[in-house]
């Protein structure tokens, strides 16, 4: 058996007839036997169906060849460029495993192999995707491990313990040494396909992970800890433009309560900003991190939008059902307070206003601005008018709500005024309102039938209502200004509180990274070097705020080692840390090169 690998021509194959004419080479009977079988099975139909010749012991036995003789014949066929080794990755869902199926393929009739080869690659990618979706679902623990690697400025894509493709495409998986060009090209095509899928995080030579849509926002928030403490401070130092871009993000304030960006939007802005400097990131690190975070951010945004749409659709159905009610007057004459800080209500109001089946108007009550809605149905308007006369005749607001609807939609409702009964009832409703805004003696003139004087009273009442609406509009604007000022203060307070909590979570993550991943002691110097956001000043404020423990007490020094707080929240981490110290003491794990007395001191503080 030959020891040296054959020269695999990959897709640049020839036929045995061409080979014979050009070089006079005649195949030995063993090689010829395999070649004939390969040719028969290398049809386009078989390639599309995956029914190709597999170099297995059972197939060699069918050709009455022992394994060593068969492999020697294969060496000849590959080396002469008559066949090449291809593969297909298959996912066995029953056992949850991937397997590599290798084939020998020839060129019957000179058929080019490029298209069938890509078909095998496409099928392999589909099976790999199924495996990732089923077996490689990203968890929070794995995500933090991945982020620790990617947030390392010295991270290189070519380094790693190996991903699924690395393990599957090991040359030893093939009967003979495969074409290096085939392996490189195949891997590249598969990774490109996976990269294009928004649900898959692709980390070459580390692993491929499926991100659950419902968890994308949580993963994004975790990633933000690394952006804040490590990536952002270092990236600002790379380039002045990056620093200015981040300053613009942090200085942006909402114009109104409804335009305030969500936390997901803010994190996405950071990622998009960094991605705009991808060439700088490639030169200085962090590009793989930012590249993958864009996927997670897009997924989080889309999922949040989908959830928001679902909730809005649900609420819209509720409101439309209320408007259709035949028994609940308050539902038929629907009012929504526009001064409530409810994003969904704001969207619902807009959708109802645009709905041709609904009529709308606005009215300023004494304490709030109200959006009013009714079904765009003249019989419905007549019913509401009649119900007001029967039950709400002396409740001013209901009559004025209907009045606002009718006046704003006068053109559409013009035919309704041909109904004498409606006009008569509507007039009585308005009359009961107008009499509340004019002196009592106008009622006397009404009963005496002095119409001109009564009409002048109605005009006076209309004028009072109009000016009252103007005053209330002014007060509404003042309330909104105060509301937005208050909301801005609350937002700043909330962001500051969240920033502190974010730093707390990030410090916990950094301590875990030091103790459990890098097997070192997280001194102030180490934290500042690896997580630039944790300066000595920042740590000095955080330690008392969150009860972190320092080996030098309240005074923070460069050599101070930071430990987790001694509180129930951190029981599991402290238990794990105690076990690590015990392993150092017993010599099971190589301890950090520190003063043994310092280790004893730390052990007593846990």
């Amino acid at each position: 058996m030959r020891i040296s690998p054959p020269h695999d021509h990959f897709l640049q194959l020839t036929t045995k007839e061409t080979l014979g004419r050009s070089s006079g080479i005649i195949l030995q009977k063993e090689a010829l036997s395999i070649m004939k079988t390969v040719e028969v099975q290398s049809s386009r139909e078989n390639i599309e169906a995956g029914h190709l010749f597999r170099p297995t012991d059972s197939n060699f036995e069918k050709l009455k060849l022992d394994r060593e003789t068969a492999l020697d014949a294969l060496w000849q066929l590959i080396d002469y460029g008559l066949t090449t080794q291809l593969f297909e990755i298959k996912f066995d869902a029953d056992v949850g495993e991937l397997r590599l199926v290798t084939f020998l393929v020839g060129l019957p009739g000179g058929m080019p192999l490029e298209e069938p080869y890509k078909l095998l690659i496409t099928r392999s990618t589909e099976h790999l995707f199924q495996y990732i979706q089923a077996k490689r679902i990203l968890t929070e623990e794995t995500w933090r491990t991945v982020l620790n690697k990617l947030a390392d400025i010295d991270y290189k894509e070519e380094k790693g313990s190996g991903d699924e493709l690395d393990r599957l495409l090991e040359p030893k998986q093939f009967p003979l040494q495969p074409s290096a060009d085939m392996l490189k090209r195949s891997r590249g095509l598969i990774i490109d396909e996976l990269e294009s899928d928004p649900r898959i995080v692709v980390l070459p030579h580390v692993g491929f992970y499926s991100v659950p849509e419902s968890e994308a926002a949580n993963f994004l928030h975790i990633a933000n800890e690394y952006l804040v403490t490590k990536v952002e401070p270092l990236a600002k130092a790379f380039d002045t433009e990056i620093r200015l871009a981040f300053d613009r993000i942090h200085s942006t304030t909402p114009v109104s309560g409804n335009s305030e960006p969500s936390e997901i939007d803010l994190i996405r802005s950071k990622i998009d900003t960094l991605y705009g400097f991808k060439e700088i990131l490639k030169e200085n690190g962090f590009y793989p991190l930012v590249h993958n975070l864009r996927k997670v951010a897009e997924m989080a945004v889309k999922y949040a939008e989908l959830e928001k749409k679902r909730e809005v659709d649900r609420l819209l159905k509720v409101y439309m059902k209320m408007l259709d009610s035949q028994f609940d007057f308050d539902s038929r004459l629907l009012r929504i307070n526009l001064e409530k800080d409810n994003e969904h209500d704001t969207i619902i109001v807009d959708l109802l206003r645009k709905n041709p089946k609904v009529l709308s108007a606005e009215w300023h009550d004494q304490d709030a601005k109200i959006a009013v809605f009714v079904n765009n149905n003249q019989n419905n308007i007549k019913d509401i008018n009649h119900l007001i006369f029967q039950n709400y005749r002396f409740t001013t607001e209901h009559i004025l709500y209907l009045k606002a609807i009718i006046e704003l939609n006068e053109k559409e409702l013009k035919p309704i005024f041909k109904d004498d009964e409606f006009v008569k009832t509507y007039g009585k409703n308005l009359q009961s309102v107008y009499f509340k805004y004019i002196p009592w003696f106008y009622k006397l003139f009404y009963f005496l039938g002095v119409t001109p004087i009564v009409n002048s009273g109605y005009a006076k009442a209309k004028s009072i209502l109009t000016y009252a609406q103007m005053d209330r509009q002014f007060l509404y604007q003042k309330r909104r200004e105060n509301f937005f000022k208050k909301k801005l203060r609350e937002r700043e307070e909330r962001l500051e509180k969240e920033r502190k909590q974010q730093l707390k979570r990030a410090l916990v993550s950094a301590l875990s990274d030091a103790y459990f991943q890098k097997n070192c002691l997280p001194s102030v110097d180490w934290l500042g070097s690896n997580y630039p956001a944790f300066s000595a000043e920042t740590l000095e404020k955080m330690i008392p705020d969150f009860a972190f423990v320092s080996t030098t007490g309240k005074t923070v020094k460069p050599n101070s080692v930071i430990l987790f707080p001694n509180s129930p929240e951190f029981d599991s981490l402290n238990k794990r840390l105690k076990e690590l110290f015990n392993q150092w003491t017993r010599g099971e794990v190589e301890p950090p090169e520190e003063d043994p007395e310092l280790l004893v001191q730390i052990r007593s503080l846990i």
Side-chain angles (χ1 to χ4, degrees):
M1 180 181 175
R2 292 179 173 87
I3 298 175
S4 62
H7 174 61
D8 194 330
H9 298 260
F10 187 20
L11 302 180
Q12 304 301 317
L13 298 186
T14 185
T15 63
K16 60 180 182 295
E17 291 80 13
T18 304
L19 179 67
R21 287 195 301 267
S22 62
S23 62
I25 294 176
I26 299 175
L27 297 176
Q28 297 177 3
K29 65 176 183 178
E30 293 84 2
L32 189 60
S33 174
I34 294 177
M35 188 65 215
K36 286 179 179 178
T37 306
V38 169
E39 283 181 339
V40 169
Q41 293 190 240
S42 295
S43 65
R44 182 180 294 274
E45 292 76 16
N46 282 340
I47 289 173
E48 291 177 352
H51 299 154
L52 299 168
F53 180 77
R54 296 184 58 193
T56 60
D57 289 348
S58 60
N59 281 336
F60 295 154
E61 288 175 9
K62 291 176 184 177
L63 296 172
K64 298 180 180 179
L65 297 173
D66 61 77
R67 180 173 179 76
E68 186 173 343
T69 303
L71 291 179
D72 192 59
L74 289 183
W75 190 100
Q76 289 182 40
L77 296 174
I78 294 170
D79 196 60
Y80 292 157
L82 296 171
T83 66
T84 189
Q85 297 180 96
L86 297 181
F87 68 86
E88 182 177 351
I89 295 171
K90 290 185 177 289
F91 173 51
D92 190 332
D94 293 333
V95 296
E97 292 180 356
L98 292 169
R99 59 190 175 92
L100 184 75
V101 180
T102 59
F103 304 112
L104 274 186
V105 184
L107 277 180
M111 180 184 71
L113 276 176
E114 184 73 27
E115 183 182 338
Y117 161 70
K118 287 186 176 178
L119 179 63
L120 289 173
I121 291 299
T122 299
R123 283 212 299 261
S124 295
T125 306
E126 289 171 355
H127 281 271
L128 187 54
F129 176 78
Q130 291 171 18
Y131 167 78
I132 295 168
Q133 288 285 79
K135 306 298 290 184
R136 299 288 287 172
I137 299 172
L138 195 61
T139 63
E140 185 173 322
E141 182 180 358
T142 304
W143 182 233
R144 287 188 178 277
T145 302
V146 166
L147 289 171
N148 265 326
K149 290 181 180 179
L150 295 182
D152 188 336
I153 198 168
D154 295 323
Y155 172 79
K156 296 290 185 292
E157 284 193 341
E158 62 270 15
K159 294 181 180 179
S161 57
D163 56 38
E164 288 79 357
L165 281 178
D166 287 329
R167 295 187 285 274
L168 285 165
L169 299 184
E170 276 281 340
K172 64 183 180 182
Q173 302 284 358
F174 294 79
L176 292 171
Q177 180 80 26
S179 163
D181 181 39
M182 184 273 287
L183 294 180
K184 181 180 179 181
R185 184 179 176 193
S186 300
R187 176 183 170 81
L189 289 171
I190 291 173
I191 286 185
D192 286 346
E193 284 293 318
L194 292 177
E195 281 276 17
S196 66
D197 193 293
R199 298 162 292 180
I200 303 295
V201 169
V202 178
L203 304 173
H205 310 300
V206 175
F208 311 132
Y209 304 95
S210 169
V211 181
E213 290 182 343
S214 59
E215 289 297 312
N218 180 42
F219 290 151
L220 196 62
H221 292 150
I222 293 171
N224 195 38
E225 298 171 17
Y226 294 82
L227 289 174
V228 169
T229 61
K230 201 164 189 176
V231 180
E232 186 178 331
L234 287 173
K236 284 180 178 179
F238 294 157
D239 189 273
T240 304
E241 286 298 318
I242 296 180
R243 179 176 58 79
L244 292 174
F246 269 105
D247 290 344
R248 284 192 292 272
I249 292 174
H250 294 305
S251 64
T252 301
T253 55
V255 177
S256 70
N258 296 325
S259 65
E260 180 179 333
S262 67
E263 187 178 359
I264 291 177
D265 292 328
L266 290 172
I267 301 172
R268 185 191 189 188
S269 295
K270 291 182 188 179
I271 294 167
D272 287 344
T273 296
L274 284 168
Y275 199 76
F277 299 91
K278 60 183 177 182
E279 295 305 321
I280 296 175
L281 295 184
K282 286 178 180 178
E283 292 173 10
N284 296 278
F286 300 138
Y287 176 74
L289 172 67
V290 175
H291 178 67
N292 281 288
L293 287 190
R294 282 193 93 202
K295 278 191 176 183
V296 179
E298 290 298 323
M299 195 179 302
V301 168
K302 287 180 180 178
Y303 186 78
E305 288 175 349
L306 182 63
E307 288 295 292
K308 180 178 174 180
K309 185 178 183 304
R310 284 174 180 162
E311 179 61 14
V312 167
D313 288 346
R314 184 189 68 80
L315 288 173
L316 185 60
K317 286 180 181 177
V318 170
Y319 282 125
M320 292 301 293
K321 189 173 182 180
M322 290 171 67
L323 287 169
D324 286 334
S325 172
Q326 297 298 310
F327 307 104
D328 182 16
F329 175 78
D330 286 329
S331 294
R332 295 179 76 175
L333 186 65
L334 180 65
R335 284 91 68 195
I336 298 177
N337 188 337
L338 295 177
E339 296 189 41
K340 284 186 177 180
D341 185 23
N342 188 315
E343 182 185 5
H344 289 149
D345 272 355
T346 303
I347 298 170
I348 292 295
V349 165
D350 189 50
L351 290 173
L352 288 174
R353 283 171 175 162
K354 294 175 181 177
N355 193 324
K357 296 180 180 179
V358 177
L359 297 178
S360 67
E362 291 180 354
W363 187 261
H364 290 275
D365 278 353
Q366 188 168 352
D367 300 318
K369 185 177 182 179
I370 305 295
V372 188
F373 302 95
V374 297
N375 263 345
N376 186 5
N377 179 296
Q378 292 191 15
N379 288 329
N380 181 56
I381 303 292
K382 292 176 184 178
D383 286 346
I384 292 172
N385 184 48
H386 185 68
L387 287 169
I388 289 175
F389 181 76
Q390 285 186 320
N391 305 309
Y392 301 95
R393 193 173 165 191
F394 302 105
T395 307
T396 305
E397 288 78 8
H398 293 90
I399 301 168
L400 293 177
Y401 294 150
L402 181 62
K403 176 177 180 290
I405 288 281
I406 290 173
E407 289 182 353
L408 189 64
N409 301 276
E410 184 177 358
K411 185 177 180 180
E412 197 162 355
L413 292 175
K414 193 173 182 179
I416 203 172
F417 286 94
K418 295 179 180 178
D419 185 322
D420 292 338
E421 183 65 29
F422 170 81
V423 173
K424 182 180 178 182
T425 305
Y426 184 57
K428 289 180 180 179
N429 285 336
L430 289 177
Q431 186 182 72
S432 66
V433 172
Y434 291 156
F435 278 148
K436 291 179 182 290
Y437 288 90
I438 53 180
W440 63 271
F441 54 81
Y442 279 93
K443 286 186 179 181
L444 178 61
F445 287 117
Y446 171 76
F447 288 117
L448 293 174
V450 187
T451 303
I453 295 178
V454 174
N455 287 342
S456 69
Y458 291 164
K460 182 180 180 65
K462 289 180 183 179
S463 178
I464 291 171
L465 285 169
T466 300
Y467 280 106
Q469 284 296 289
M470 293 170 64
D471 285 341
R472 290 177 180 180
Q473 170 70 19
F474 174 76
L475 293 173
Y476 164 74
Q477 295 295 346
K478 297 294 290 184
R479 287 198 303 273
R480 293 309 278 172
E481 287 176 15
N482 292 333
F483 169 78
F484 290 131
K485 287 177 183 177
K486 179 184 176 184
K487 191 166 185 179
L488 183 58
R489 286 195 305 271
E490 290 175 349
R491 176 178 181 265
E492 289 170 349
E493 291 170 1
R494 188 178 71 250
L495 288 177
E496 179 59 22
K497 184 177 179 181
E498 174 55 30
R499 189 187 72 83
K500 289 182 177 181
Q501 289 295 327
Q502 198 173 66
L503 284 173
K504 173 191 171 184
R505 294 191 297 267
L507 182 54
V508 170
S509 180
L511 297 180
S512 299
D513 179 33
Y515 287 121
F516 308 128
Q517 300 297 327
K518 295 187 169 62
N519 201 51
C520 67
L521 298 179
S523 66
V524 171
D525 269 352
W526 185 91
L527 288 166
S529 181
N530 289 272
Y531 295 84
F534 293 129
S535 63
E537 294 77 13
T538 300
L539 289 169
E540 200 159 40
K541 292 176 183 177
M542 289 184 67
I543 287 173
D545 281 351
F546 298 108
F548 283 94
V549 179
S550 167
T551 54
T552 55
K554 294 181 180 180
T555 304
V556 173
K557 298 179 181 179
N559 64 338
S560 303
V561 176
I562 312 301
L563 297 100
F564 302 110
N566 285 318
S567 65
E569 180 186 353
F570 296 93
D571 279 349
S572 61
L573 284 171
N574 279 318
K575 183 178 180 181
R576 189 177 171 189
L577 189 55
K578 284 179 184 178
E579 178 56 30
L580 177 62
F581 269 83
N582 291 336
Q583 289 174 336
W584 285 346
T585 303
R586 295 192 297 262
E588 296 172 6
V589 177
E590 187 70 25
E593 295 180 1
E594 307 287 346
D595 185 343
E597 292 185 6
L598 177 60
L599 296 179
V600 172
Q601 180 194 358
I602 294 173
R603 180 66 180 81
S604 67
L605 291 171
I606 302 174

